[in-house]
Each structure stands twice: as structure tokens, then as C-alpha cells.
Amino acid sequence: MHKLKKFGIPIRKFFWWSAGVVPSILENCPTNHGKYTAIGVIMAFIAVLASVSFAFFLSHTFVIPAGAALLGGIFWGILIYSLDRAVLTSFRKDEMSRISVAQRFILTISLALIVGEPLLMHLFRKEIAFEMARKSQTVSANSRQNATDRFQTEIDSLLTSNREIENRLDELKADRDSKENAVIGEIEGASGSGKKGDGPAAARKNTAFAEADAKYKEFKTDSAETLSENKKRLAEIRGAIEDETRKIGDANAESDGVLAKHEALFDIIKTQPGAALVYFPLFLGLLFLETLPLSIKVFGKKSVYDAALEAVETETVEEIEAENNRRRNIRKAVEDRISASIIRDEIENLRHKAERKVAEKISAEVLREIENRTFRHRAAKNSDIKFGEEIAVEVVGCDDLQIKLQLPESVRREISLNELGGDIKTIADETGAENLKLTGVFSSEGHEIWEDLPLLPQLESDQKLILQFEPAQTV
């Protein structure tokens, strides 16, 4: 019994976590345990329902193996579960506007439709299949009738032509047969003159028979081609009607996707009240189940857990603000100490090496700004001295140094590195290291600079100069 109780604790905490609460805070609110456990159970049940629903959807719509459909359903259930929990977790009483609450309900209702509709389609799958088969037959019949109607005028014309030819043939054949019988009757003496034998009367009747027979054979020969062409065209029309009917039937059979099944389901609901009485209660039940957790949190009274969570969050915010204030005070104290050491020229008295380094950098930057202002002031006074484009100087190993070298325009293109010895020494001093020796000068693409040749033509188009210093060896 004790083991079962220990096993139940992680499950209960999982349901609490599913309900969007903090289990460690809820443990101190025993009156709310049942409420949030129930919400967590509903959340887990919705996720399972979403998995089963989507697995059915994949299996019936895309006809994929059951294992793959089940795997897809599990991923879908996890997604629905995560979205539902995100909605609950983001909700805070007294902090949400009506628009925010409405947005959450819209999302929840949309999730209910996504979860419930595939399941309902599975429950009505046999009725949907029957309705789609009935529709397919109707579509085939309508397509056959439409195709027939389109060719009906031509069909009637061809049939009328054939019928007229056949009637004329029958008339000529009947006339010929009649005259043939008259010839036979005259010869046998059964009719006409009543005298047996092939006499003058028989000869006349035989001539009339020959004329009738010739007319019949001539018309039969002349109309044979027309009859053949008419029958051939009628066969082509019947083939075209069958081909069109088959294509439309095949296309309709292939259109068995989600939209077609939904349309069949809605037709069933519209035409069969019994189906509507089953569909709508199930749909409303699933919708109620999906929106129940959010409804409990929105419309329920503020619980002990809500108050405890608010207190913990307030305390956490106050601790963070206190820590930020403490850091700001420390930063201000360090800045004040460094500023005071620079003003009093007591940088060496700072206890920390890092503070002394910062103070030296600040002092060097201030001196450089003063020097630049003085230089610009002198240049303004002596306006006939013009300077060219600045040369960017980079010191290897000192990425924080930003140095610009500006040369008079009159000598800018002829001056060499040897003539800038004073400037090079000043740059070495600004690195903060002592006893440095220049060991290499390069352009931005790594080409070595010759010290006795004009500097500017040796630089790349970006006008960048790279200096490399090393400590000088002392004896």
C-alpha cells in the first residue's frame, strides 16, 4: 500500500503540471489539490483523444500503415497538449483583459474543432462512404446525360437520316418483290391473264420487275456509304460520351479527401435528422471538454493557489529588483573610486589591478581627446595646411585601441614609415606596455610594408596599417 502511494505521487504531480500550475507551490495548498488534479486529468485525456483522432484521420485519409498513423497521432497529441498547457500557463487572474481572454477561448475552440472533427468523421465513416458512393453514381449519371444532351441534335439528325434511307430501301424492296411475284404468278397462270407460260404479259411484267430491281440495287449501293458513315459517327459519339463519363467518374472517385468527406458528412446531417441528433451532442461534448480547463480558470473564484503563486512571484520580482539595485550601487561605487583616483592623480593607489588598468585607459582616452582638440584647433588657425584621408592603425594584440593617423596632404603620398618614428612611438606608448619594439608592419591583406619607401602606395584601398610590437630584450 505504501508503494502504491509513493507511485501515485509522481502521477499526481504530472497532472498538476499538466494543469499549468507549479507543483511545489500547490503542495502547500491542499484545498486546491482535487481541482487541479481534475484539470490535469482532462488535459491528459484531451491529448490522448487528439492522438487517437489524428491517427484515424491519417489512416483513413492518406491510407498509411497503422504504425505510422499511430506515431503521427502521438506527435499530434503532444502538440495539442503543449498548446493547451501554454494557454493555461499564460493565464493570470486580474491580469488579463477581455481581449486576451477572448483570444484564448478562440484558440481553445479552434483546438476543439481540430481534435473533435477527425474523431466524428471516423464514427460516421460508413455513412460517409455510402453517401460518397451515391454521389459518385449521381455524378456519373449526370455527366452521361450532359454529354448526351450536347450531342443529341447530331444524334437525332444521323438517326433520322438512317431511318429515311432504310424506309426508302424497304419501299423499293417491297415494290421489287411485288413485281417479282407478279411475274411468277403470270408464268404459273395464277394471276394476270391466267395463261401459263412465258408469254407477252409475262415479258411485260418481267421488264417492270427488272426496272424495280435495278432501282432497289442502285439506291442500296448509293446509300450504303451514307449509312456506313452515319453508323461510324454514331459509334464515335457513343465512345466520346463513354470516355467523358469515365473521366468524370474517375476524377470524382479520386476526390475522396478531407473536403469531400466533410461535404458528405454535412449532406448526411442536413438530410437525416437522426444523424444530426447524434453529431451535434458529440461535437458539443468535445467542445465542452476542450474548453472546460480554461473556463474553470477564467470563471472560477481566485483560489488559495492563485494567491500563493502571486505572493511567490512578487517576492521573486522584489529579490531581482534588490539584486539589480545592489549591482547598480556597486557599479557606481567602483566608477566613483576610479574617477576620484584619476582626478587626484592617485591611480597607483587603487587596490585592484583591473581598476588601475581601467583608470589608465580612461586617462589615456581623455589625453587623446585633448590632443585631438588641440591639434584641430591649430590646424584651423593654420588653414593653409590641409590633411588627407585618415589612415586606420591596428595594433596586433590590442583590439580595443582605435587609432587614426592623419598626414598633411602635401607630403602624404611621399612620406615613408621611417619619417613617422615619433608617431609609432606614441602608438606604442598607448598600448600601456613598456619597452616595446616594432617588429612588423603590414597592410590589411598581410603584405609587408617597406620602411624606406612611401607608405601610402603600399597600403590597400581600405587605408589600413597593421603594427606588430614585441617587448625589447634588456641586457
Side-chain angles (χ1 to χ4, degrees):
M1 187 70 180
H2 181 66
K3 289 183 178 180
L4 289 175
K5 187 175 180 181
K6 288 182 66 177
F7 178 73
I9 292 175
I11 297 178
R12 184 177 62 179
K13 287 187 175 181
F14 169 75
F15 288 141
W16 290 353
W17 186 81
S18 299
V21 300
V22 182
S24 59
I25 299 177
L26 186 59
E27 282 183 346
N28 301 322
C29 310
T31 57
N32 293 143
H33 286 183
K35 170 184 173 181
Y36 288 104
T37 301
I39 294 176
V41 170
I42 294 173
M43 294 283 289
F45 180 73
I46 291 172
V48 173
L49 199 63
S51 298
V52 174
S53 174
F54 197 67
F56 283 141
F57 172 76
L58 292 176
S59 178
H60 294 307
T61 303
F62 300 103
V63 195
I64 62 176
L70 181 60
L71 184 62
I74 291 173
F75 281 113
W76 183 253
I78 294 172
L79 176 62
I80 297 297
Y81 172 81
S82 302
L83 289 173
D84 280 338
R85 187 179 179 278
V87 171
L88 290 182
T89 305
S90 63
F91 181 81
R92 290 287 187 275
K93 278 190 174 295
D94 304 327
E95 294 182 5
M96 292 292 171
S97 64
R98 292 182 179 179
I99 296 178
S100 299
V101 173
Q103 289 174 343
R104 281 165 174 76
F105 268 108
I106 291 172
L107 176 60
T108 305
I109 293 171
S110 301
L111 292 176
L113 292 172
I114 293 172
V115 171
E117 194 63 18
L119 188 62
L120 292 173
M121 288 181 63
H122 177 72
L123 295 177
F124 287 92
R125 65 189 183 281
K126 292 183 179 179
E127 290 79 6
I128 291 173
F130 176 78
E131 179 66 18
M132 292 181 70
R134 188 187 66 79
K135 277 190 171 185
S136 180
Q137 292 177 350
T138 303
V139 169
S140 296
N142 290 338
S143 64
R144 183 184 299 277
Q145 185 60 47
N146 292 333
T148 303
D149 291 343
R150 195 164 57 253
F151 290 104
Q152 192 62 53
T153 301
E154 186 178 0
I155 292 173
D156 292 341
S157 176
L158 293 171
L159 290 175
T160 300
S161 176
N162 288 349
R163 191 160 48 247
E164 290 175 351
I165 292 173
E166 289 171 355
N167 290 339
R168 180 60 179 161
L169 281 172
D170 291 340
E171 291 175 359
L172 293 173
K173 185 175 182 299
D175 183 54
R176 186 201 67 173
D177 292 344
S178 174
K179 291 180 177 180
E180 184 182 14
N181 292 331
V183 172
I184 295 172
E186 184 68 35
I187 294 173
E188 292 178 350
S191 61
S193 62
K195 296 179 180 181
K196 293 183 178 182
D198 192 8
R204 288 194 299 271
K205 290 182 178 181
N206 192 43
T207 301
F209 164 72
E211 290 176 356
D213 185 56
K215 282 184 180 181
Y216 171 72
K217 290 180 178 178
E218 181 183 1
F219 186 78
K220 185 177 182 180
T221 302
D222 292 342
S223 62
E225 185 177 354
T226 303
L227 280 173
S228 176
E229 290 178 355
N230 288 351
K231 289 178 180 179
K232 181 179 179 182
R233 178 55 184 160
L234 286 171
E236 290 176 354
I237 291 174
R238 284 194 294 271
I241 293 173
E242 293 298 327
D243 187 55
E244 183 175 334
T245 303
R246 179 181 56 79
K247 287 181 179 179
I248 293 177
D250 292 344
N252 183 69
E254 291 178 358
S255 62
D256 59 347
V258 179
L259 292 179
K261 290 181 179 179
H262 268 93
E263 184 179 357
L265 178 59
F266 292 150
D267 288 340
I268 293 170
I269 294 171
K270 286 188 292 185
T271 57
Q272 301 180 24
L277 290 176
V278 176
Y279 176 84
F280 285 111
L282 288 174
F283 173 75
L284 293 175
L286 292 171
L287 180 62
F288 175 77
L289 183 67
E290 176 68 31
T291 56
L292 182 59
L294 182 60
S295 299
I296 293 174
K297 295 202 74 172
V298 172
F299 301 111
K301 294 181 179 179
K302 192 173 184 178
S303 63
V304 177
Y305 167 78
D306 292 325
L309 178 62
E310 185 178 346
V312 170
E313 288 180 342
T314 302
E315 183 180 354
T316 303
V317 170
E318 290 176 350
E319 289 178 356
I320 292 173
E321 289 180 350
E323 177 65 19
N324 290 336
N325 289 333
R326 188 178 68 84
R327 288 179 177 275
R328 281 195 294 269
N329 293 334
I330 293 174
R331 187 181 297 109
K332 187 175 183 306
V334 173
E335 290 175 352
D336 292 344
R337 188 161 58 247
I338 291 174
S339 299
S341 68
I342 295 173
I343 294 171
R344 297 171 184 169
D345 197 16
E346 296 176 352
I347 295 177
E348 68 279 358
N349 293 335
L350 292 171
R351 289 179 297 173
H352 298 289
K353 182 179 179 181
E355 291 183 0
R356 290 196 297 272
K357 188 174 181 180
V358 171
E360 290 172 353
K361 285 186 177 180
I362 293 174
S363 180
E365 288 179 4
V366 171
L367 290 174
R368 189 158 50 249
E369 289 177 1
I370 294 172
E371 181 182 3
N372 290 338
R373 283 200 301 269
T374 304
F375 185 77
R376 284 196 297 270
H377 178 68
R378 291 178 179 177
K381 290 177 67 176
N382 193 5
S383 57
D384 54 333
I385 299 179
K386 296 181 180 180
F387 292 88
E389 185 181 353
E390 293 179 337
I391 298 174
V393 181
E394 179 182 322
V395 179
V396 177
C398 299
D399 297 334
D400 54 339
L401 279 181
Q402 297 181 357
I403 302 172
K404 302 290 185 181
L405 187 62
Q406 199 169 31
L407 303 176
E409 186 67 34
S410 59
V411 296
R412 187 169 180 268
R413 300 194 64 84
E414 291 80 18
I415 196 167
S416 64
L417 194 65
N418 286 334
E419 298 175 80
L420 297 175
D423 295 309
I424 300 299
K425 186 177 184 307
T426 302
I427 293 171
D429 293 337
E430 287 187 3
T431 61
E434 297 180 358
N435 297 325
L436 290 180
K437 178 184 178 182
L438 183 64
T439 57
V441 184
F442 310 92
S443 67
S444 60
E445 293 187 3
H447 300 136
E448 187 175 358
I449 301 298
W450 295 86
E451 296 182 1
D452 54 344
L453 296 178
L455 172 63
L456 190 62
Q458 300 182 68
L459 297 180
E460 311 297 343
S461 59
D462 56 1
Q463 299 287 286
K464 189 173 183 180
L465 182 66
I466 301 175
L467 304 180
Q468 183 176 358
F469 293 97
E470 290 183 3
Q473 296 181 356
T474 57
V475 181

